[in-house]
Amino acid sequence: QVRVVESGGGSVQPGGSLRLSCAASGITFWTYNMKWYRQAPGKEREFVADINRDSSSRNYADSVKGRFTISRDNAKNMVYLQMNSLKPEDMAVYYCKAEGLYSYWGQGTQVTVSS
């Protein structure tokens, strides 16, 4: 059974930091590209960042470049999203996606940025 589970969300003040984690099981993790998306209330789900299988390539949405960092640990079947200098517009449910021959989504983790 494939499971993709996000954690690490929470509430933070503007300018603060959070680190999201995504644990994947039931897949050959190192063969999957991993992605983070987010969805704010009333908006469509949008791409945030991705990382390829061996971490040699990372891409970011323009809105998060320089503030967010994606990384992965293939030995632990984990992918991370370090989010710094958070802004109110970063508030959303963040989703992890494992993308390979098939794609698998997690259930999401809420990030709230508010003073």
Side-chain angles (χ1 to χ4, degrees), residues 28-65:
T28 306
F29 182 77
W30 70 267
T31 68
Y32 282 74
N33 295 319
M34 298 300 296
K35 300 175 182 281
W36 286 98
Y37 286 77
R38 66 187 182 187
Q39 188 167 18
K43 295 189 176 181
E44 293 187 354
R45 191 170 298 189
E46 65 175 2
F47 169 80
V48 175
D50 66 14
I51 187 167
N52 70 345
R53 293 177 291 181
D54 65 0
S55 302
S56 61
S57 176
R58 309 173 201 220
N59 298 291
Y60 298 93
D62 288 343
S63 58
V64 307
K65 276 181 184 175

Side-chain angles (χ1 to χ4, degrees), residues 10-18 83 86-88 91 111-115:
S11 184
V12 64
Q13 293 186 341
S17 298
L18 282 174
M83 306 187 296
L86 282 161
K87 303 176 181 181
M91 187 163 61
V111 171
T112 300
V113 184
S114 174
S115 55

Side-chain angles (χ1 to χ4, degrees), residues 46-112:
E46 65 175 2
F47 169 80
V48 175
D50 66 14
I51 187 167
N52 70 345
R53 293 177 291 181
D54 65 0
S55 302
S56 61
S57 176
R58 309 173 201 220
N59 298 291
Y60 298 93
D62 288 343
S63 58
V64 307
K65 276 181 184 175
R67 300 187 298 122
F68 290 12
T69 302
I70 189 171
S71 61
R72 67 189 293 164
D73 185 336
N74 286 345
K76 296 181 178 179
N77 287 11
M78 297 288 294
V79 63
Y80 306 99
L81 186 68
Q82 178 66 44
M83 306 187 296
N84 298 329
S85 303
L86 282 161
K87 303 176 181 181
E89 52 263 43
D90 295 317
M91 187 163 61
V93 177
Y94 282 71
Y95 296 90
C96 177
K97 180 184 181 183
E99 189 171 274
L101 181 62
Y102 302 100
S103 293
Y104 303 97
W105 289 91
Q107 82 291 342
T109 186
Q110 176 71 49
V111 171
T112 300

